[in-house]
């Protein structure tokens, strides 16, 4: 199991470009669809937790999943595995990369990749919304949060805190019960 | 001692930054300039490079800066120092969450943050798409149309051919970008 965790997160570290959210699509594919280590709902919870804990989303997710699947050793193995590919590539090639990445053909290839990543995020997001947020109230809160993000310069961390406070307020008012209808 | 300085600087960045890669840039800049590891201009090039090399942006930036300051060993120290606070924070949090597993207040809290996290993911997709579209429009209208077609094609492929790996789709899109844009 530790080896499987290592190879999965090493792969994720080697093939994701752009970090955190761009990684969501691949995390959804690898962890939820392929290995079934997590449900869509849990992946969503991790995303939220990663926002309110220090550090990068990708490492947070690796630690969380590793811990869930194989305890503390799993957490350590997954976290090391995800930083290893970028460390090896950048650490050994740092002085050559700037010349290489100045080329125009590469710029165009990256434009294509960015469009693909946007589509992958959209697809993962819709699939997570369908499976992870199923109540009318949850979806209404989602739309409200999206509108706030688009029309105000709110910080992502504050958005998560606001969401959590809203959930607690709804519970205090008796609108959502013991089993929060996710 | 450059390794101790790197460790402290990157541990601090890892500890006090929330929300991932791009949100960390101001903190990086402060540390990098304070220690004289590189100029602001050099650092801005690193930010762009970090989005092009594989892996999380923040990890790439740490590897670049560490490597510039003290070679491969410097990159290793910076990367692990950056990752350490994330790992410790998640381990601490998961043990607390495990203890209050069926607490209704916790469930209510998660009910709220799931909707907020969902909105953040949609918003991130929207930001990447609109950013890239604006860049395309500076170059040519054709490139913007081609970009929209790539988005539609990748979305359709994920919907109707779920077995195809997202990584393969990104590679294909890179070739399309190379030939078409």
């Amino acid at each position: 199991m530790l080896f499987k965790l290592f190879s999965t997160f090493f792969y994720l570290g080697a093939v994701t470009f752009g970090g955190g959210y761009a990684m969501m699509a691949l995390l959804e594919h690898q962890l939820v669809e392929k290995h079934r280590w997590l449900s869509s709902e849990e992946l969503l919870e991790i995303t939220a937790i990663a926002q309110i804990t220090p550090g990068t989303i990708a490492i947070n997710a690796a630690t969380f999943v590793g811990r869930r699947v194989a305890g503390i050793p799993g957490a350590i193995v997954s976290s090391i595995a995800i930083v290893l590919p970028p460390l090896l590539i950048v650490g050994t090639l740092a002085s050559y990369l700037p010349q290489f990445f100045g080329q125009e053909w590469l710029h165009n290839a990256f434009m294509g990749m960015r469009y693909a990543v946007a589509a992958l995020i959209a697809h993962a997001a819709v699939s997570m919304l369908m499976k992870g947020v199923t109540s009318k109230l949850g979806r209404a809160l989602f739309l409200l949060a999206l509108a706030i993000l688009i029309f105000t310069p709110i910080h992502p961390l504050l958005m998560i805190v606001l969401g959590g406070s809203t959930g607690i307020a709804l519970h205090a008012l008796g609108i959502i019960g013991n089993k929060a209808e996710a | 001692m450059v390794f101790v300085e790197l460790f402290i600087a990157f541990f601090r960045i890892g500890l006090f930054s929330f929300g991932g890669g791009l949100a960390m840039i101001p903190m990086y800049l402060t540390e990098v300039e304070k220690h004289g590891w590189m100029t602001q201009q050099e650092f801005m090039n690193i930010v762009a490079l970090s989005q092009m090399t594989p892996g999380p942006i923040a990890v790439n930036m740490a590897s670049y800066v560490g490597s510039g300051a003290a070679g491969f060993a410097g990159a290793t120290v910076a990367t692990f120092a950056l990752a350490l606070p994330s790992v410790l924070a998640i381990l601490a949090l998961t043990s607390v969450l495990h203890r209050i597993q069926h607490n209704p207040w916790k469930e209510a809290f998660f009910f709220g943050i799931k909707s907020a996290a969902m909105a953040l993911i949609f918003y991130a997709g929207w930001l990447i798409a609109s950013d890239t579209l604006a860049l395309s429009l500076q170059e040519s209208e054709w490139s913007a149309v081609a970009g929209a077609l790539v988005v539609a094609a990748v979305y359709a492929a994920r919907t109707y051919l779920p077995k195809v790996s997202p990584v393969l789709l990104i590679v294909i899109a890179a070739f399309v970008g190379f030939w078409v844009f």
Side-chain angles (χ1 to χ4, degrees), chain A residues 4-163:
Chain A
K4 217 170 176 185
L5 277 173
F6 184 88
S7 59
T8 301
F9 282 100
F10 190 87
Y11 173 76
L12 284 169
V15 297
T16 42
F17 291 84
Y21 291 113
M23 201 171 237
M24 291 310 304
L26 297 180
L27 286 174
E28 219 248 347
H29 182 251
Q30 284 281 321
L31 306 179
V32 180
E33 288 176 24
K34 201 171 152 205
H35 292 296
R36 298 183 189 276
W37 284 332
L38 293 172
S39 66
S40 276
E41 206 184 329
E42 287 172 314
L43 183 59
L44 208 47
E45 290 186 8
I46 296 174
T47 312
I49 289 176
Q51 284 288 348
I52 50 174
T53 47
T56 65
I57 297 173
I59 299 173
N60 286 334
T63 311
F64 192 99
V65 174
R67 167 84 198 253
R68 159 68 55 88
V69 174
I72 305 268
I76 294 168
V77 163
S78 305
S79 311
I80 290 177
I82 205 164
V83 301
L84 220 45
L87 172 62
L88 292 175
I89 293 169
V90 175
T92 47
L93 300 177
S95 40
Y96 309 102
L97 290 172
Q99 297 108 310
F100 182 66
F101 281 120
Q103 325 262 348
E104 202 196 337
W105 64 267
L106 204 64
H107 167 78
N108 289 339
F110 271 102
M111 292 288 284
M113 287 168 68
R114 288 177 61 167
Y115 281 117
V117 166
L120 289 175
I121 293 180
H123 184 272
V126 170
S127 137
M128 286 168 79
L129 182 68
M130 291 306 166
K131 288 181 260 173
V133 181
T134 47
S135 69
K136 282 204 180 108
L137 184 59
R139 295 215 174 142
L141 283 180
F142 155 73
L143 287 176
L144 184 64
L146 190 59
I148 294 173
L149 281 168
I150 291 174
F151 296 114
T152 69
I154 189 174
H155 191 282
L157 173 63
L158 191 60
M159 186 76 247
I160 296 290
V161 174
L162 203 60

Side-chain angles (χ1 to χ4, degrees), chain A residues 14 16-18 41 54-55 115 125 138, chain B residues 15 17 52 54-55 57 114-115 118 136:
Chain A
T16 42
F17 291 84
E41 206 184 329
Y115 281 117
Chain B
L15 184 63
S17 54
M52 297 183 185
I57 296 174
K114 270 192 303 194
S115 294
M118 205 59 251
S136 280

Side-chain angles (χ1 to χ4, degrees), chain B residues 121-134:
Chain B
I121 297 171
F122 268 90
Y123 185 58
W126 162 250
L127 278 185
I128 294 179
S130 58
D131 232 51
T132 315
L133 203 61

